[in-house]
Amino acid sequence: MAIAHSQKQRNMSLILDLKEEGDEDLSRPLPPTNFCAVENNYIYRSGLPHPSNFPFLRSLNLRSIIYLCPEPYPEENTDFLRINNIKLYQFGIEGTKDPSTMSSNSEIITEALRVIIDERNHPVLIHCKQGKHRTGCLVGCLRKLQKWCLAAVVEEYMHFAGAKWRETDLKFMENF
């Protein structure tokens, strides 16, 4: 009986140890949606960061954030940038669903690329709301400047856009 009880205590202890290890996983910094390194250690992409992502962003030692939406940047994010001395570049790209907006978006993308290419802004995070379409177009245009073949640019875009990829985005990147 003492052996069975002792074994039960060891098993319970093992379960508690595993639970504590699992709890540690929850305390690790959480990246924003669709987060990925575009260029290791100096260009990143994601969806809109939320306060739960701030510890993760802090670990990147960002100097700049490129925000691609026309809506005002959330106040709590602005506070995070101010506290951490991160510069915000906002390029208000209208949605990429309407082909008529694509020509004006080309000028905006060119301006955003100037910020990305300037090493004084590195490390930099590029993001829109979900990190799919606007971010995908900007990263796709960067890839074209890097002389990636169009098939690889499209593959990377589709990886992040998933089932919601847009023909207008593909045409935009192809023609950029």
Side-chain angles (χ1 to χ4, degrees), residues 21 23-31 52 55-56:
E21 285 179 28
D23 288 346
E24 289 173 17
D25 291 343
L26 295 175
S27 67
R28 288 189 186 141
L30 179 67
S52 63
F56 178 83

Side-chain angles (χ1 to χ4, degrees), residues 66-125:
I66 295 176
Y67 175 53
L68 300 174
C69 299
E71 298 82 18
Y73 207 54
E75 187 176 335
E76 57 201 353
N77 291 43
T78 303
D79 292 343
F80 171 78
L81 298 183
R82 184 180 39 74
I83 291 166
N84 290 280
N85 200 29
I86 299 170
K87 182 163 178 146
L88 176 66
Y89 294 91
Q90 183 170 359
F91 297 96
I93 296 175
E94 293 300 326
T96 60
K97 292 178 185 177
D98 182 3
S100 68
T101 64
M102 297 317 269
S103 63
S104 62
N105 286 351
S106 184
E107 294 170 15
I108 296 169
I109 292 285
T110 300
E111 290 302 312
L113 286 169
R114 285 191 176 106
V115 173
I116 293 170
I117 290 168
D118 187 342
E119 293 180 6
R120 294 173 295 180
N121 296 318
H122 296 169
V124 60
L125 173 67

Side-chain angles (χ1 to χ4, degrees), residues 32-36 45-50 67-69 71 126-136 159-162 164 166:
T33 303
N34 262 341
F35 177 82
C36 189
R45 64 174 292 160
S46 75
L48 178 68
H50 297 284
Y67 175 53
L68 300 174
C69 299
E71 298 82 18
I126 305 162
H127 77 81
C128 53
K129 290 179 187 168
Q130 297 298 318
K132 294 179 181 183
H133 304 290
R134 297 166 215 210
T135 299
H159 170 77
F160 289 96
K164 295 190 175 193
R166 296 181 182 154

Side-chain angles (χ1 to χ4, degrees), residues 138-149:
L138 178 56
V139 171
C141 292
L142 173 65
R143 298 304 194 195
K144 287 191 72 178
L145 287 178
Q146 295 173 326
K147 305 291 185 204
W148 279 34
C149 71

